[in-house]
Amino acid sequence: ARMMQLGLPGCIHTTAEVAGLAPERDWEKQRRTFVKGKGQMETYVMRVRTTFDDGSVLHESGKAFDEAVKSSVGVKFPSLASEGESMRTTLSFLGDSMKSERVISELKMYREIQPVADQAYREHTRWFGLAFKKLTFERAYLDGQARMSKNVVFTGYFLFACFLLLNVLFGYIFSRTMNNTCESFDSIVYTFYCELAFIMYSPNATSRDKYDAMISNSLFRMIPGVGYIMLGLLVIGCFLNWFIHRSKHFKHKSWASLAVFMIYICFAVAISTSIMIFTKLDDMRIQWAYSIGPMTMLQGTLVLYFSGLPFLLSLLWWIAVMGLYYGLTLPVLISSQSIISVSNFAPLIATQIYIGLTVLVTWYGGLCVTASYFNAITNRKRFLQRILMLQQQNEIIEEKGKAEQMQRSFLESILPPALVQELKDLSDLYDEGVNDQGLKRSRQRLRSLTHTHRGASLLYADLVGFTAFSAQVDPFKVMTFLNELFQVFDSLCDKWKVYKIETVGDCYVASVGIVTGELVSMALSPSSSLADAEASERRERASVRMSSSRQTSMARTAAATNARDLLAFAKAMIR
């Protein structure tokens, strides 16, 4: 890039063409210089000034530059020596170090990846993993659970209604079967047992008596009043579940879970009170003992599998039901012990059945609560996994956007912005070019990126003695010095219509006439076909030949203007 390996500090070294465009300048003709790629060329030098403000003299050894940098970084270094390694090595090393640090940072950032580790889950939850620390996470989880359990709740209500109907059918079949069986025995023992364990009716009994016997012999004694209550609760439960999920007034659908919880609480209260309060002990014989336990287990099963309740509501339901269970049964059990006699030992049998079923109900309740807990933990881990994955995807997209913006900024620092945009469009077009027509369009657009610039001037500014300086000074101080120096150069670009192309180590490359300044350029139309592009080239060549004098005049005028601007910029850099 440089016409001389060892240039003179404080001087502008140009080709003969540039010197001819600004003949009013004080040019010193140099001996013919070998330029890489051009061969022997005649060059000229313009000395901007020979002394600095501090009185130091400019000469080939570059001592003035030594003194200026010494005051800047506080390190003395010898004058110009042989060329060493370039600043590219330092820049590459710094780039690799920054890249490594960024990779380590990303690894720390994305350490919470699937599957969710126990440590990560504990960091995001509290209360033994039963609630998220962030309220937004907890609301989103409860809302999602309610939405997913919408149809499951309807299924639970339907199964409960089917059970109530089967309960009546069971009472009817059981009552008819046991009544016929007990009537076939003449033994006093069998007759006594049948009257103790079951509600019998005579052949001449009325429909009301038969209905009472059927209801009493069923698992759950559902009298008409209780039946209406159950039907009303089912209708209310279905309506609330449908309304909350359809209504726009309930933005958080977790209210549906609370409604389901209250409905199942009402079920438990109605069934338990129907068994223990609305019937008399002497009428029920021992039916209450084997009715309340299975009914509690049935409701617990529906709550576990067909309610969609979160663990805390499920646990609260079991606490309330077991409190109701013991609160209603223990007083009846205690009071019935006083009426045990030889002729009435039904309370004794009821106590025996009650104790066995109570142990079973308690064990089953603990099993359901445990299952609900682990199910909740599993669901919360899955939810947290999805949240972390979404966060990771958003961070990746954000980082990708930053990287693309950084790449675009980097390209725009070395290429014209319009050219960068065309390259991006070309890349998108090439991605779509899966057929021959698409490939031709890509080739056509690629040809259109080629511009012919006439009258452009290029500048390469080097720091004399920089290689020796950078070899002895700390790299961080070198980078700081270059950054401050190049920022000064950048601030001068707009004033002199200069476009900065790039910096290579200590070499500052700029131009006038390519992006800024007087522009005389030609480009192919991107919208034309490949044949049209070739024809356009031929027409442009013919047009240039026909008006060569005019083209030459325009190019020379632009070249003179651009050369003067770039020379003024170079003088400003040195000063």
Side-chain angles (χ1 to χ4, degrees), residues 31-50:
R31 64 179 184 277
R32 296 183 66 83
T33 305
F34 177 79
V35 178
K36 185 177 180 181
K38 297 291 185 179
Q40 296 292 330
M41 296 184 64
E42 185 177 322
T43 61
Y44 290 80
V45 168
M46 180 175 61
R47 300 183 183 274
V48 178
R49 60 178 179 175
T50 57

Side-chain angles (χ1 to χ4, degrees), residues 7-32:
L8 299 178
C11 296
I12 302 176
H13 194 192
T14 68
T15 62
E17 288 78 4
V18 176
L21 294 173
E24 71 278 3
R25 306 290 184 178
D26 296 330
W27 297 107
E28 296 181 10
K29 186 176 181 180
Q30 301 293 307
R31 64 179 184 277
R32 296 183 66 83

Side-chain angles (χ1 to χ4, degrees), residues 244-281:
I244 292 175
H245 285 284
R246 291 293 299 271
S247 176
K248 296 181 180 179
H249 299 287
F250 292 92
K251 296 182 179 180
H252 299 289
K253 304 306 178 182
S254 55
W255 287 103
S257 298
L258 184 60
V260 173
F261 169 77
M262 296 303 300
I263 292 296
Y264 275 98
I265 285 290
C266 292
F267 282 157
V269 171
I271 292 174
S272 299
T273 54
S274 173
I275 294 175
M276 303 303 301
I277 296 178
F278 296 143
T279 55
K280 297 180 180 179
L281 183 61

Side-chain angles (χ1 to χ4, degrees), residues 158-172 222:
F158 174 76
L159 293 177
F160 188 74
C162 291
F163 169 78
L164 295 180
L165 295 177
L166 291 176
N167 177 64
V168 176
L169 180 61
F170 169 79
Y172 173 76
M222 188 175 63

Side-chain angles (χ1 to χ4, degrees), residues 45 139 322 478 483 507:
V45 168
R139 287 180 177 177
M322 294 306 296
V478 173
N483 183 58
C507 182

Side-chain angles (χ1 to χ4, degrees), residues 538-566:
R538 290 193 296 269
R539 288 194 300 269
E540 288 178 358
R541 294 194 189 99
S543 177
V544 169
R545 286 195 298 268
M546 292 174 61
S547 58
S548 59
S549 59
R550 182 171 178 273
Q551 293 285 342
T552 302
S553 176
M554 291 178 55
R556 185 163 185 82
T557 301
T561 303
N562 294 334
R564 289 189 179 94
D565 289 339
L566 198 57

Side-chain angles (χ1 to χ4, degrees), residues 191-218:
T191 302
F192 178 76
Y193 175 77
C194 289
E195 293 178 353
L196 176 65
F198 313 108
I199 302 298
M200 307 295 296
Y201 59 89
S202 63
N204 299 324
T206 63
S207 299
R208 178 66 182 179
D209 295 335
K210 293 181 179 180
Y211 175 78
D212 291 339
M214 177 185 67
I215 292 300
S216 300
N217 289 323
S218 60

